[in-house]
Amino acid sequence: MAAVRRIQKELSELKTRPIDGLSVEPQDDNLYEWKCAIKAASDSPYKGGTFHFSLSLPQDFPFKAPSVTFTTKIYHPGIDEEGHICVPVLRDQWKPSVTLSSVLAIIQEKVNNPSPDDPFEPEIAALLKTDKSKFLATAKEWTKKYASP
Amino acid sequence: MQHLASSNATTGQRFFNSSMEIVHKFLGLPSRAFMRMRRLDNMLNQDAMQTQAQPFVSTSAQGMHTAQARAATEALYMPGPWGFMTSGYCFGMLIMALILNRIQNVVAPSRHPLFRHHRRAPAERHGLLRSLRNTFFPIDLSSTFARSTFRIPSIYLLGKALLIWFVVLLQVSNLYSASEWRWLQALGDWVARKPMEEICWFTFTSVCVALCVGTLTRGLDGFNINSNSPTNLFGFAFQLYLFSAEYTHSRKSQDHPSRPDKHTVVTLILPLLQLMMIHCLEVRQRWARQRLIPTTVCALLALGHFHTVIWRSPSSYPLSNVFPCVVESLLLGTIMLTILLNLITQLVLEGTISRPLFGHTQTLLPKWDEDFGVALIRLGAASFEATSVAGLGNEVAAVTSASSSHLIQHGHSSPQGSLELDRAGVISINTPEETSRKRSKKRVGFANEITNVKVHALTVDTLVDSMVYLRWYKELWHFVLSGWAAVRRLLRRLWSCLRGACRATGAAPSVENDLPINPTAPTGEKEEDELDVVYERFLRGDALSDDDDEFDPFSDRPPTPESPASTSDGEMSEEVAEDSETVQLYADLSTDTATSSSAPLLLAHMVNTSTSPLTRLRYRRLVRAPVDQQDTDDWQSFALSRRQAKAGAPPDELDERRRNCVVCTVEPREVICWPCRCLALCNDCRENLASRSSASKHTCPCCRTSVQGYSRIYIP
């Protein structure tokens, strides 16, 4: 019960004070499944792309971390083939007082600034380290292919 | 069962025999394949058999001849772990593990929403076939009919196995009396003639089929994640293997195959019954996840049976089932005792029972989709843990910890009240004594002013101390750094003044001070003086020329960071800042006075104090829109927003967020955690957190330090 009320509260907060470049919409029948989309920043390698992901909240939400799955393909060292993203706050650093808006902000930050440290996809990270121009080209190509409206 | 009974009545015994044969032929293949390996096993066991059979024979005089005869003619093997490893049961279990794993990983519900299939026009060529296919596929998994047709084979097999075992149980306990119905008689005869091995193997295969079908349909429903079947296939198979061997049977007769004892049969029937119940419940989608009822019923039956056998009956309980039963009984006993004690405590102290369970009720109550065992373990762990006085379950008493015994201990009477504190809290309070007419009276409550507060600095918390000192050192370092920077700037200014031949030295610092504070209105008199001085320098030109490096108009390379200019980044930016100030002044000047187009360029060169040449890039950067202007805009907008935030509507929401529990964000905060002193939780969420994990893992939801205790806070 507390979970539902908290989720409603977080949602209304996100509606009143939306994060730039990020849209959030819960599924019609299920408050525990959110459909979100990130519009990549103009200075990021994914300029012009819109990346959709789903945020699913567990039944005992504030005590367990939500899980995030990208539904749009993205060439990113921190996001794997199946759309799983590796951010510590969703894994071992979760605590019940973390708000969903801060989680979303962290994800947005991660998407906009791909870094080769602590990668989920080591090959992409290696490419980003050794041959940045090639990485940028591939990222741009993937963005055009999968993430353009 | 009804379906089975009717089929019994019509087709009778022949049908059973034929179907049994078919099933046995197909499913018994691995069993036969391992028969050879088992024979080797038997040969190894034969010696042991001969010796072990002796005492057994001596006890039962009636079965002596048969046992000896069997031991002599055919290999009567003794079941054991090694025999199990080479038996068909083990092989079947390996196959099952593989199949179940594959099903769990591959079968998943479609990610696309189920769309209604459109019927094709019958005019098409392949219309018939396709329409036939379209009427059946895709299967609507929410309809009970489709789900039950899916389960017909497994329910049939399970039901048949249950029926056989039930008849065996009745026969073993001598309750199966010959009745007037002929088919019942025929059924009894048919079951009685079955060898035990065959029954056990049939049961095993039907359980395997049922598990496969169950996992498959659960996969199609999307329930496979985190839901293991409550059936312990390994234990069940081992039991079946054990009791399929004649060696373990207690009832032996000449004309019928031997049977195990009735308690063994009961322990074999109960898991089968549980599986059957779950299987039947899964037929309806709404009930598909209801596990609690069947597992609870079967577990309670098993426990009841266990206890009647142990306490009431002289016969022994099958050894393989003793351990889980003992553990479950102990857990159940613990939970009952805890609940009882909790109720009594509440009744005695409060007069009413407000909390029937010891922890957070909602998290502790069994859920409908849980197994009995899981719920039992959780409740048991909670009754051990959540009631223990530790972590978030430990409500720290307030100042009362300093009791009167401490007072006597620190017996020296002082005119003023004193209090001793350490990091954990108050250690002792000394109340002052008023000595009037030999009678000493203690002052208490608000009358007791405590003037001396003694605080123990524990060496234990060196980390906190060093953190505090670290902060101080950091601030000191910042101070030293900024002081050094100021001195350096002053020196540089002095040096440049000395080099600039006739500059008034007094004017320099004032420009420094005034500009950053109020850069948009540089109208001070000293400002004017400064401008005049600089303008004079500009007019004289020659005096400044040796300050600057020569400008090479053909080199428009941007200055690279590794350029020979040995200035560090910090210096660079400083210079740029300084330059921009001056350039702004020059720009004002030049718009007023200078008419020639080359004037600004010259100005820039004169201003350039760095050792590297002034390139076009740097020149452009200098002349571009002054930075200060933008800064003030930012500052003004920031101040405006702050003012709005202070006066306007939004703070209500912020305040509410600061007042409410960080977990549920609904209830007001009322629990403070020790030792981190985060006031972040409401009591409901505190209970919830406390009953979720063991006390040693209780961490603050804000700072994640481990919690030793908590206090409730009452804000009047």
Side-chain angles (χ1 to χ4, degrees), chain B residues 494-535:
Chain B
L494 274 173
W495 177 243
S496 58
C497 284
L498 283 176
R499 280 168 69 172
C502 62
R503 246 178 104 179
T505 43
S510 72
V511 176
E512 278 267 313
N513 291 339
D514 285 351
L515 263 182
I517 297 164
N518 202 356
T520 42
T523 45
E525 232 186 349
K526 286 177 179 177
E527 223 73 34
E528 294 288 338
D529 291 346
E530 168 74 3
L531 288 185
D532 286 345
V533 168
V534 174
Y535 188 48

Side-chain angles (χ1 to χ4, degrees), chain A residues 45-51 73-74 138-148:
Chain A
Y46 312 101
K47 189 172 73 174
T50 308
F51 299 92
K73 268 173 89 93
I74 178 167
T138 319
K140 204 168 176 183
E141 188 194 323
W142 279 41
T143 307
K144 203 173 226 170
K145 215 175 186 176
Y146 302 110
S148 295

Side-chain angles (χ1 to χ4, degrees), chain A residues 5-6 9 13 93 95 97, chain B residues 657 663 665-666 701-702:
Chain A
R5 286 171 77 181
R6 171 161 171 173
K9 208 158 186 189
E13 194 165 306
Q93 284 185 17
K95 53 188 181 183
S97 58
Chain B
R657 230 169 88 191
V663 175
T665 63
V666 182
C702 287

Side-chain angles (χ1 to χ4, degrees), chain B residues 535-568:
Chain B
Y535 188 48
E536 273 169 23
R537 280 178 70 201
F538 166 59
L539 287 182
R540 270 187 285 109
D542 52 344
L544 290 168
S545 63
D546 47 354
D547 270 350
D548 307 321
D549 297 320
E550 273 191 3
F551 174 60
D552 183 7
F554 300 106
S555 79
D556 39 8
R557 280 177 294 133
T560 49
E562 321 59 53
S563 67
S566 59
T567 50
S568 69

